[in-house]
Amino acid sequence: MEAKFCMSCGAELEIRDVDGTMRRACTVCSFVHWGNYSVGVGALVMREGKMLLVRRAQEPGKGRWTNPGGYIEQHELIHDTIRREVLEETGVSAEVKRVVAVRDLPRNIHNLYVAFEMEYVDGEPVPDGVEVDAAGFYSLEEMQGLNVADFTRWLIDVAMHADSAGLVTDANPIVQMDGYGLYRVPAARAGIGD
């Protein structure tokens, strides 16, 4: 469905050239509809060599085993989203370690998915009974008997075979920017390569 009215003032949108691309733009104010986007997040939580998985109780993917995750809320930092999603879906507490993968899926609603490796903190997996109907920690061998989604299999492979630190939270940026979630390649340690 195409946007027809301005999300800022409610006036009708028209199609016009904005920076060389035909876009829907407001006829009254400066609002430009840049497109439809969604950002999803996924968690890769390991405990004692086993990965936390959930079985989807709803479409898409009903009956398939996936890593826990969901969509970010409008005013929620992405690392808060993934902690919340893991806790809501499984009852497990986990903390972000690093970003290990990004999936880009252009379509009617362009989806960007960010996968986080997370440190298990505590809790035993209990499904929420709404979005997921089963949850647990599984070894690679145990996963062979589960209907694991292809994308989840790929993410697990990425997390288990990554040879770099990935992107980590920048807890001490050189400039404080309140409200930002900042991730960076870890700084090189002094003395390495000297």
Side-chain angles (χ1 to χ4, degrees), residues 53-98:
L53 295 178
V54 296
R55 187 173 60 200
R56 304 267 319 142
Q58 302 173 345
E59 296 296 349
K62 184 176 180 178
R64 307 229 35 207
W65 288 86
T66 66
N67 52 295
Y71 291 99
I72 64 168
E73 297 293 340
Q74 187 69 39
H75 296 284
E76 185 176 44
L77 289 169
I78 197 167
H79 59 269
D80 292 336
T81 298
I82 194 57
R83 284 195 302 259
R84 175 183 54 78
E85 286 289 348
V86 171
L87 188 60
E88 285 177 0
E89 290 184 4
T90 70
V92 169
S93 294
E95 289 298 325
V96 170
K97 285 176 60 176
R98 63 184 179 156

Side-chain angles (χ1 to χ4, degrees), residues 108-173:
N108 287 343
I109 299 176
H110 192 136
N111 179 252
L112 185 68
Y113 184 95
V114 181
F116 292 88
E117 181 180 346
M118 299 185 75
E119 183 81 34
Y120 169 80
V121 175
D122 65 19
E124 289 301 318
V126 176
D128 70 3
V130 178
E131 291 184 64
V132 301
D133 59 13
F137 284 96
Y138 298 93
S139 68
L140 289 175
E141 294 77 29
E142 292 168 325
M143 287 181 213
Q144 297 305 314
L146 301 176
N147 186 16
V148 178
D150 291 342
F151 181 57
T152 297
R153 286 187 187 278
W154 179 77
L155 286 173
I156 292 167
D157 181 71
V158 168
M160 295 182 104
H161 296 100
D163 64 357
S164 72
L167 297 177
V168 297
T169 303
D170 190 347
N172 298 303

